[in-house]
Amino acid sequence: MTQYNYLEMFLEESTDHLKAMNEQLFLLEKASDPIKVLAEIFRSAHTLKGMAASMGFTQIANVTHVLENVLDEMRSGKIDVDSDKIDLFFEAVEQLEQALEQIETSGAEPTTLQELETKLSQLQLKNEKVSIETDSYDESTEHVINQAVEQGIPVLVIAVTVEQTAMLKGVRAYMVVAEVDQFGELLHASPSTEKLEEGEFEETFTLTVATGLSEETVVERLSLISEISSVNVSPYVGKKAIQVETKSNDSTNAEPSSVKKTDVKNQRSIRVQIDKLDDLMYMFEELVIEKGRLEALANQLNHEDLTSTSEKMSRTISHLQDVMLSVRMMPLETVFSRFPRMVRQVSKELGKNISFQLEGTETEIDRAIIDELSDPILHLLRNSMDHGIELPKERVATGKPGEGTITLRAYYSGSKVVIEIEDDGAGIQRERVLDKAISNGLITLEQSSSMNNEDVFQLLFAPGFSTAQAVTDLSGRGVGLDVVKTSLQSLGGEIMVTSEEGKGSLFSIVLPLTVSIMEVMLIGLQKETFAIPVTSILETALYAKKDIQLSNNQEIVQVRGRLVPLYSLNQEMGLDESDADEVPVVILYQNNELAAIKVDTLIGHQEIVLKSLGSILKQTKGLLGATILGSGEIAMIVDASAFFTSKRGGANE
């Protein structure tokens, strides 16, 4: 078995470490105590280096080796942390991510990392002097160790002696360090890990480790490594009081620790390929469909045993549904973590000082939705940076701090997830939006005078709309926010805007927790059955034909004192209307707006599985997808948002 049998595992774990490095680098610039953050970045770089070396990817191993050297010198205070160095670290993470992508597609690492390695090497101090005394901790390292002790984390000092006859001392030392990384946090090495791996030590070296394992267990695990003559362990009791025997005593004679033992909890999780989860979800969706058929059959036959079995199956499948949905749920952190680096880079290009805040990253949502969220959020963030946040001089002139703030937050609201992008910038100029909309022919001057702020701000999402005065890499081309709204509507979501000129803007995205299984209202049109998502329905009503009014060739009805436009779903679907004296009407709600659609019959609620329409029918207006009912009949799912667009087209277009 070659190392390429482990390629998938290497790529997954390396991606996780780069993601962790990216998150910690964002915190580093603002950290009051950077030592702890540097330690986290160092640990990820060190692990990545070891994995790359074991897989034979020398370019990645060399870059991460130099990177951890620089980080180690930063931890010891020999190199200062500043914005330029953090920029270089971000560049290193980005290039390493690209290297992993190339390995995934071609199986070979790129040969273009040498320049990055050179840049990182230039940060290192020359004539580095490292003491090999076991008690020679520098101030920053001792601070980290003391913090661990204060938090109740056991810290051990391990003295390891390599046999005099060992041919490759560096390899043995690397194996010891790698094993230590498996059960604890390496806080200090004497000599340094670089010198250990190069074999630049006599026979004995020491490691200071934070770990929950007992001294006995540490001795047992390290003694299994060949050509190690002795392992001696003592608890850390202060810089001046460390007493570690370095004589070549047999490692099996080590005395047990008097320190309270702490069990290390194993993480009860496994990695599962997404394809397998998708297959499992597909089979469960089929089970939901069969549940509907069983319920329909039980109602039809009215058999007591069959009805009882059907009810038990329904309860079991409902519980299974909760479990399945929880498996598909992913934290929004997987999306949010991509943006700090982008915001930092773009803000520098724009010459703006922007503080980027993340809140509610632990909020979970269906993976199918997460996969589609990156682009809409990216557009909104770029919009806030370009149009919202002012230049530092402009902010100071208006009494604001020179640094602007953009907050990306998420939280639950009932059965929905809300994602907000908020900035404290210039806000949206209502009159400027109206002028642009009138010049583009979106609205008339008369209409503009009666529009509230929410209606005005929704004009921003019209195709081709832009208030930018010049075309830049970020804006001015009239492409962006209309794509955002279209993408969110395809996910069953909506977007709302609030803004105050001079104070800032808030874009709120409201999304369902999942799009694969939804509750719908089944309605009948002639002999056909259609479904409307319950989340889009305010209420249903029965109207007499005499109560339906006509205004400017548009039918309208009164709903709680409001005049609401009434559309015919039969006409939208290319079917003939019913001649009944009373008309069933479904009242739809979206973004504080109401719309009504008349149907032939109201059938009832049902839980359904959303199926894609396929490539041929995917672009059909007015339809979200289709589902299979318990009777085996196929029902189309109506896209309620189609009845709220300013320039509507029929669903049968």
Side-chain angles (χ1 to χ4, degrees):
M1 181 177 289
T2 67
Q3 70 267 33
Y4 288 99
N5 294 104
Y6 301 100
L7 182 59
E8 186 175 345
M9 184 184 298
F10 165 75
L11 291 172
E12 289 179 355
E13 294 188 3
S14 297
T15 300
D16 289 344
H17 284 295
L18 288 177
K19 177 184 172 184
M21 290 172 66
N22 187 67
E23 293 172 356
Q24 294 299 321
L25 283 172
F26 180 63
L27 299 175
L28 179 60
E29 199 167 26
K30 303 176 182 179
S32 57
D33 182 12
I35 301 300
K36 184 176 181 180
V37 180
L38 285 169
E40 292 294 328
I41 302 172
F42 177 88
R43 182 174 185 177
S44 294
H46 178 73
T47 306
L48 181 57
K49 180 194 72 172
M51 292 191 302
S54 66
M55 292 293 292
F57 298 129
T58 55
Q59 290 262 342
I60 295 178
N62 291 340
V63 168
T64 48
H65 176 66
V66 177
L67 177 59
E68 72 169 344
N69 288 347
V70 175
L71 291 167
D72 194 36
E73 291 186 355
M74 282 184 168
R75 289 197 302 175
S76 63
K78 296 177 182 177
I79 297 180
D80 294 330
V81 179
D82 57 42
S83 180
D84 291 337
K85 295 184 181 68
I86 294 176
D87 283 342
L88 182 57
F89 291 160
F90 273 119
E91 180 185 344
V93 171
E94 185 174 3
Q95 290 199 34
L96 289 170
E97 287 174 343
Q98 293 171 354
L100 293 181
E101 290 174 3
Q102 182 168 329
I103 291 173
E104 185 175 15
T105 55
S106 66
E109 66 177 335
T111 57
T112 56
L113 295 176
Q114 183 62 46
E115 183 179 351
L116 175 62
E117 182 181 346
T118 303
K119 288 181 181 179
L120 291 169
S121 298
Q122 292 173 351
L123 297 179
Q124 286 186 265
L125 295 177
K126 297 180 180 179
N127 302 321
E128 178 186 5
K129 296 181 179 180
V130 180
S131 173
I132 61 172
E133 297 178 13
T134 60
D135 59 345
S136 59
Y137 299 113
D138 57 55
E139 184 178 350
S140 60
T141 302
E142 188 174 10
H143 175 66
V144 173
I145 296 174
N146 289 334
Q147 275 190 328
V149 173
E150 289 171 2
Q151 295 172 8
I153 303 173
V155 177
L156 302 178
V157 179
I158 307 170
V160 181
T161 303
V162 181
E163 292 180 358
Q164 293 182 347
T165 57
M167 298 295 293
L168 299 172
K169 294 193 299 180
V171 173
R172 300 306 166 199
Y174 174 79
M175 293 175 68
V176 171
V177 172
E179 182 65 22
V180 165
D181 280 337
Q182 294 296 314
F183 61 72
E185 174 77 18
L186 180 60
L187 303 177
H188 182 264
S190 180
S192 67
T193 53
E194 302 82 59
K195 292 187 178 295
L196 289 179
E197 292 172 13
E198 296 296 333
E200 297 179 12
F201 61 97
E202 295 297 329
E203 295 176 5
T204 301
F205 59 91
T206 62
L207 304 174
T208 306
V209 184
T211 178
L213 297 186
S214 67
E215 295 177 26
E216 289 176 300
T217 305
V218 171
V219 170
E220 290 174 3
R221 291 184 62 161
L222 296 183
S223 297
L224 295 175
I225 300 173
S226 59
E227 296 186 312
I228 298 297
S229 62
S230 69
V231 178
N232 294 278
V233 182
S234 288
Y236 172 82
V237 290
K239 179 177 178 180
K240 297 181 180 179
I242 298 176
Q243 298 293 334
V244 180
E245 291 291 335
T246 58
K247 298 179 182 179
S248 56
N249 298 330
D250 187 9
S251 59
T252 57
N253 294 329
E255 295 183 2
S257 169
S258 59
V259 180
K260 182 181 179 181
K261 299 179 182 180
T262 304
D263 294 330
V264 179
K265 291 184 178 180
N266 293 322
Q267 186 175 358
R268 301 184 63 184
S269 62
I270 60 172
R271 290 181 181 271
V272 179
Q273 292 180 354
I274 290 177
D275 290 345
K276 292 182 178 179
L277 287 179
D278 288 342
D279 289 342
L280 185 61
M281 191 63 187
Y282 173 77
M283 296 305 297
F284 172 70
E285 290 171 353
E286 293 298 311
L287 190 60
V288 172
I289 294 172
E290 295 304 321
K291 180 194 78 168
R293 291 181 179 176
L294 182 61
E295 290 174 345
L297 186 61
N299 291 333
Q300 180 182 347
L301 297 179
N302 196 24
H303 189 281
E304 183 177 352
D305 289 341
L306 182 58
T307 301
S308 175
T309 301
S310 173
E311 291 173 352
K312 290 179 181 178
M313 284 288 293
S314 180
R315 288 193 295 270
T316 302
I317 292 174
S318 294
H319 177 68
L320 180 59
Q321 176 181 331
D322 293 337
V323 175
M324 285 300 305
L325 292 181
S326 68
V327 170
R328 283 180 61 92
M329 301 291 268
M330 291 179 64
L332 282 167
E333 185 220 2
T334 56
V335 176
F336 285 11
S337 62
R338 306 173 191 174
F339 301 121
R341 186 169 67 194
M342 181 275 296
V343 172
R344 190 173 186 276
Q345 178 182 349
V346 172
S347 62
K348 287 194 170 187
E349 293 174 359
L350 294 172
K352 298 179 179 181
N353 296 330
I354 298 177
S355 171
F356 185 51
Q357 308 292 333
L358 294 176
E359 298 177 5
T361 57
E362 70 283 356
T363 306
E364 293 186 334
I365 198 169
D366 195 316
R367 184 182 66 80
I369 296 177
I370 276 189
D371 292 342
E372 305 297 330
L373 273 182
S374 183
D375 284 346
I377 296 177
L378 175 63
H379 280 301
L380 293 173
L381 286 175
R382 289 163 71 97
N383 183 73
S384 290
M385 286 186 285
D386 195 26
H387 293 286
I389 302 296
E390 313 95 325
L391 291 169
K393 290 182 179 179
E394 296 174 359
R395 292 180 62 85
V396 173
T398 57
K400 294 181 178 180
E403 182 181 61
T405 300
I406 296 177
T407 303
L408 175 60
R409 71 171 64 89
Y411 57 89
Y412 296 109
S413 178
S415 61
K416 303 276 189 176
V417 169
V418 180
I419 300 173
E420 295 181 342
I421 297 93
E422 183 177 13
D423 68 69
D424 64 349
I428 300 172
Q429 298 179 21
R430 172 189 168 95
E431 295 305 319
R432 189 175 172 187
V433 173
L434 287 174
D435 291 343
K436 189 70 174 181
I438 293 171
S439 65
N440 285 359
L442 295 174
I443 58 173
T444 64
L445 183 60
E446 292 74 20
Q447 289 175 321
S448 67
S449 60
S450 61
M451 295 178 71
N452 58 35
N453 284 342
E454 178 62 29
D455 293 334
V456 172
F457 298 152
Q458 285 295 319
L459 293 172
L460 297 171
F461 301 99
F465 188 92
S466 176
T467 58
Q469 296 178 348
V471 175
T472 67
D473 290 338
L474 289 181
S475 61
R477 294 180 172 82
V479 177
L481 292 185
D482 64 313
V483 176
V484 169
K485 188 169 185 177
T486 302
S487 299
L488 295 175
Q489 287 178 345
S490 69
L491 298 173
E494 56 183 328
I495 183 167
M496 294 167 285
V497 185
T498 56
S499 180
E500 185 176 352
E501 193 168 343
K503 297 292 184 64
S505 303
L506 174 65
F507 289 79
S508 300
I509 299 170
V510 183
L511 293 162
L513 285 172
T514 179
V515 294
S516 58
I517 297 176
M518 63 173 64
E519 188 175 357
V520 298
M521 165 72 75
L522 295 179
I523 54 98
L525 301 180
Q526 294 189 6
K527 295 182 180 180
E528 303 292 334
T529 302
F530 289 82
I532 304 174
V534 169
T535 53
S536 301
I537 298 176
L538 177 66
E539 61 185 43
T540 59
L542 201 61
Y543 282 86
K545 282 195 172 181
K546 63 182 179 63
D547 294 329
I548 300 175
Q549 305 171 38
L550 195 65
S551 175
N552 295 327
N553 294 322
Q554 170 65 58
E555 289 185 325
I556 56 175
V557 291
Q558 280 204 359
V559 179
R560 301 183 183 182
R562 293 175 58 178
L563 292 177
V564 176
L566 177 66
Y567 304 102
S568 170
L569 193 56
N570 289 74
Q571 290 183 3
E572 296 291 324
M573 299 301 165
L575 301 172
D576 294 331
E577 283 196 49
S578 169
D579 293 329
D581 293 332
E582 290 188 320
V583 181
V585 173
V586 180
I587 312 299
L588 306 176
Y589 173 85
Q590 180 176 293
N591 284 352
N592 296 319
E593 293 183 47
L594 296 179
I597 55 175
K598 51 184 177 180
V599 300
D600 290 348
T601 55
L602 300 173
I603 299 174
H605 285 211
Q606 184 169 318
E607 207 168 55
I608 56 94
V609 176
L610 177 64
K611 297 288 186 180
S612 171
L613 291 175
S615 57
I616 298 177
L617 299 176
K618 190 174 183 180
Q619 301 303 321
T620 304
K621 294 180 181 179
L623 296 178
L624 285 176
T627 189
I628 302 175
L629 303 177
S631 61
E633 178 187 1
I634 295 176
M636 294 296 177
I637 302 172
V638 177
D639 180 7
S641 64
F643 296 95
F644 293 94
T645 54
S646 58
K647 295 183 179 179
R648 301 189 323 105
N652 58 334
E653 288 183 3

